[in-house]
Amino acid sequence: MRRWNQDHAAAGGTNEVNLTPLIDVSLALVVILLLATPLAFESSFAVRRAAATARSSAEETETARIEVAVLSADSVRVNRQVVTVAGLGPSLKPLLERSPDGMVAVSCRDSVPHGSFVEVLDTIKLSGAQDIAVAGR
Amino acid sequence: MRAPLVQGDTPLTRINVTPIIDVALVLVIILLITAPMLSVADVELELPQAHARDTEDPLFVSITLGPAGEVAVDDRMLPGLDALTTALRQQLQQSEREDLLVVVRADARLPHAVVREAMTAARDGGATRLAVATRQGGRR
């Protein structure tokens, strides 16, 4: 390698490695990682206001409205039936299949941790709900 | 300059600026991508884990609720939840979009009452679209 460099330099060529393409490709990889990281690890889901939902769905039948109340970290009430968080999905699916708009109104007790509340929202979304309305004060 | 800039009999008088423009453009793209990320408050958070995802809007205003009672709108720390409505209204007025998404980034250990109060304050401050931030936990 050294001999090649010496010969090449003697012949009038450059004996330095061109780092520009390497830096260029590295920076492009950094950009790809920056784009991929937030998409892969952080997300969010939309929630609506329960009061507005109640007004808009006033003309619908009573059975069409699905209400979920988070009672504690591991129990929820679906309409009038109390189930565990693990049993929420199977309880919700038949109700959502009958629901014309796929809307679920969610209320939560004050002392329930936010993580448990989001776990319930996640289960509702994965059960096929189109919209989630969260009850305010 | 060690290497003679000679090509045959004709000397090379112009510098090749293509690589420097190339690298500079990549740096600009990095800055454009990182600018929205830097607008989130630097608070240690344990976001709740979720599998579902539906809101993917690159432009949003964030409300950060830390485990020790920290409250921030974007990267601006606030003294408490009482100041949230005013701060958010100012932030939304500065933006060009009326229906800007407001993302509530709350720690998973916080009681729901705090998050609900923040969401109510956000609506009072003019937020029309609300979302709850989660940490993506893969597919079930």
Side-chain angles (χ1 to χ4, degrees):
Chain A
M1 186 69 181
R2 186 189 282 175
R3 183 163 178 186
W4 183 88
N5 279 343
Q6 284 170 349
D7 291 349
H8 201 63
T14 176
N15 58 356
E16 289 171 32
V17 179
N18 185 11
L19 287 174
T20 309
L22 185 67
I23 294 169
D24 196 15
V25 171
S26 307
L27 288 174
L29 286 172
V30 168
V31 172
I32 292 167
L33 281 174
L34 284 172
L35 282 172
T37 306
L39 287 175
F41 298 116
E42 194 170 326
S43 185
S44 60
F45 36 71
V47 290
R48 287 170 58 171
R49 194 177 187 171
T53 310
R55 277 196 297 272
S56 65
S57 62
E59 292 170 11
E60 291 171 11
T61 58
E62 194 65 31
T63 51
R65 186 174 169 84
I66 304 168
E67 288 179 357
V68 173
V70 188
L71 306 173
S72 68
D74 54 4
S75 70
V76 291
R77 191 176 60 227
V78 184
N79 289 345
R80 288 174 188 172
Q81 185 191 1
V82 177
V83 293
T84 60
V85 173
L88 176 63
S91 303
L92 264 182
K93 273 180 185 162
L95 296 172
L96 282 166
E97 281 167 10
R98 288 200 299 270
S99 172
D101 57 359
M103 168 86 74
V104 179
V106 186
S107 61
C108 183
R109 284 194 178 159
D110 287 355
S111 57
V112 174
H114 179 58
S116 305
F117 172 66
V118 169
E119 190 186 347
V120 170
L121 295 186
D122 189 34
T123 309
I124 293 169
K125 271 278 173 194
L126 291 175
S127 299
Q130 299 297 312
D131 270 319
I132 294 176
V134 176
R137 239 187 335 233
Chain B
M1 205 166 290
R2 280 192 273 173
L5 295 172
V6 178
Q7 204 172 39
D9 293 337
T10 318
L12 189 64
T13 53
R14 280 181 294 178
I15 299 168
N16 185 12
V17 290
T18 310
I20 198 166
I21 291 172
D22 196 12
V23 172
L25 284 175
V26 174
L27 286 171
V28 167
I29 292 168
I30 290 175
L31 281 174
L32 285 173
I33 292 167
T34 50
M37 292 179 192
L38 294 173
S39 67
V40 175
D42 187 21
V43 177
E44 194 78 23
L45 275 188
E46 187 189 308
L47 285 178
Q49 194 172 4
H51 299 82
R53 60 194 302 169
D54 62 3
T55 311
E56 298 295 349
D57 200 333
L59 278 178
F60 62 86
V61 174
S62 70
I63 296 172
T64 305
L65 303 171
E70 305 98 327
V71 183
V73 172
D74 282 348
D75 57 344
R76 194 172 133 211
M77 296 300 291
L78 303 176
L81 272 175
D82 299 339
L84 184 59
T85 303
T86 314
L88 189 67
R89 188 173 288 127
Q90 286 171 354
Q91 199 73 22
L92 290 172
Q93 279 170 354
Q94 283 171 11
S95 73
E96 292 171 3
R97 285 175 58 181
E98 285 181 5
D99 62 338
L100 199 65
L101 180 71
V102 176
V103 178
V104 180
R105 301 175 71 247
D107 192 279
R109 295 158 289 184
L110 279 175
H112 177 68
V114 178
V115 180
R116 192 176 56 197
E117 202 176 327
M119 288 169 92
T120 307
R123 281 165 187 148
D124 293 345
T128 52
R129 290 168 63 216
L130 272 178
V132 178
T134 59
R135 180 167 48 92
Q136 204 62 28
R139 284 182 182 276
R140 258 182 197 174

